[in-house]
Amino acid sequence: MPNSSVRDEFGGKSGLRAWSAFACIAIFIVAFALRWPSCGDSFWLDELHTAWAVDGAWSDVGARAGIGNQQPIYFYLLWVWRQLLPVFAVDFYGIEASLRLTSVVMTSLSAGLLCWLVFRRSGSLIAGVVAGLMIGIESSAIFFGTELRPYAAIVLLSTCAMGLAMIPRDRVGSGDRFLLHAVVILAALTQVTSLVTLGWLLAWVIASDWISGRGTADRVRTFVSRHWMVGLWIAGSAAWFFQHSSLWQSRSSWQSFANAESLVQLWELWPWMPVILVPAVIWGVSRMRRGYPVCSKGESSIAMLGFVLLISAISCFCLSYFGGVPLWHRRYLISGLPFLCGLSGILLGCVRTSDRQTWRELMVGLMGAAYLLLLVSQQGTLNRLIHGQFQLTHRGEDWRRATRFLAKHKSSNEVVWVDAGLIEQSRYPTFVEEPGREAYFRYPVNGPYRMEAAVGLGRDGLTAWLAQEDVKYLIRRGSGSRVNAKLVGIDVHGFGGVMVMIRKPLN
């Protein structure tokens, strides 16, 4: 619990609780408000897989998630949410906002929870507010917090895991460690790439518990009672790798977008300068000053958060760069985002500025405002808000408008070919014989943007369509401007990153 000087500053223990609760709720509202205007956009390709997976019956969900290389638990829960949605809500807000609401709520909860966690560890409510606002306004947090994919759930679960790992050693019990393992397992079942970060967190906690028990009579018994689930981890990991060996065999297909090529990519992964480097330098300089109170609980978490954040990024980069593992993509490292913002908040809260709480909180507030201003300026968020652009993220693929345009031009029985631009298409011939795979390749027009008489294609879809003169319509992912000038007798209509191609009638 924060020290007595903090309690006195906020009007005693009850006043402190009231202020911290108010701050967490306010941050949730701010994070929600920044995300909601972006929820009405058309689904883009990856989101359309999610929407298609939950568009059918309960029995379809697992297979549809699996064919898209996703674990099913998130999709089953989203299917339940889809069934609970009132018809009037979908009609009023649209299916896009109604489904994306789940991601908005989860990342907004993460922002409020992070505020509370940083406050508890640093003793500074202002530092907690700054940390919560960071995850509220950071551009990646907004993008994944308005996307219909499992990554918003990973941000929330990662925040919970971080909070459980930061419980002081003298207060932690076997139940706390069980919950930590359970949360990480749930995150792995939701999206296995979350272990890129959370696996290192578990490794730190397990090693710390073993080292801290040195010299005690019941060291082994205590350790086993806390981490007996490690056996489950080993067995589960072996089973998963055996079941998904095909992913390793086809890894070259994914390297086109998830491959590390330069050390510059490490620097570009996160906004290191405003979020980590500046706070770390100020904290390091202030720590050299004598005569000011030490933030012992907060500083005990700095090493853990810094280790997990850095080693996850470096190890992922090395696996991709040297090992050819297609992991280098921000979405696969999104579980590190709460660690980034949490570390920044604790560094800020542990800066030694004054032995008077009022002055200390004032200085923390001024520095925090500067960090946030630098962050929103660097990422362009401030400029967009100043110019009234409240939709802070755009997907750029208007499948909704493209399918509506097609529906106006073709009759229900006219065939339209679908070239979705999926990575997996390169491994299949143009005309796919397997019904389940063909349905997967046409999922962009087989969910909320459903079209009749659609056929999903494998590789070389455009070439095949140009040669097949009796098929009039093609919808594909890509830019129409790149092919428009080359095609004679064909109308090309662009809808962001989606184009509709219509063969002109012969005279």
Side-chain angles (χ1 to χ4, degrees), residues 257-276:
F257 87 105
N259 192 38
E261 299 174 347
S262 168
L263 283 173
V264 175
Q265 292 173 288
L266 264 176
W267 176 252
E268 295 174 343
L269 175 63
W270 301 122
W272 299 104
M273 178 66 77
V275 178
I276 297 297

Side-chain angles (χ1 to χ4, degrees), residues 417 461-468 471-474 490 501 503:
W417 283 6
L462 177 59
T463 303
W465 182 78
L466 291 173
Q468 192 85 14
V471 179
K472 187 176 180 180
Y473 304 99
L474 175 72
I490 293 171
M501 304 175 70
R503 205 182 304 276

Side-chain angles (χ1 to χ4, degrees), residues 410-431:
K410 84 175 197 72
S411 61
S412 60
N413 61 344
E414 285 186 294
V415 174
V416 55
W417 283 6
V418 182
D419 184 9
L422 294 165
I423 290 174
E424 299 95 324
Q425 287 176 238
S426 62
R427 303 200 302 271
Y428 291 84
T430 303
F431 302 105

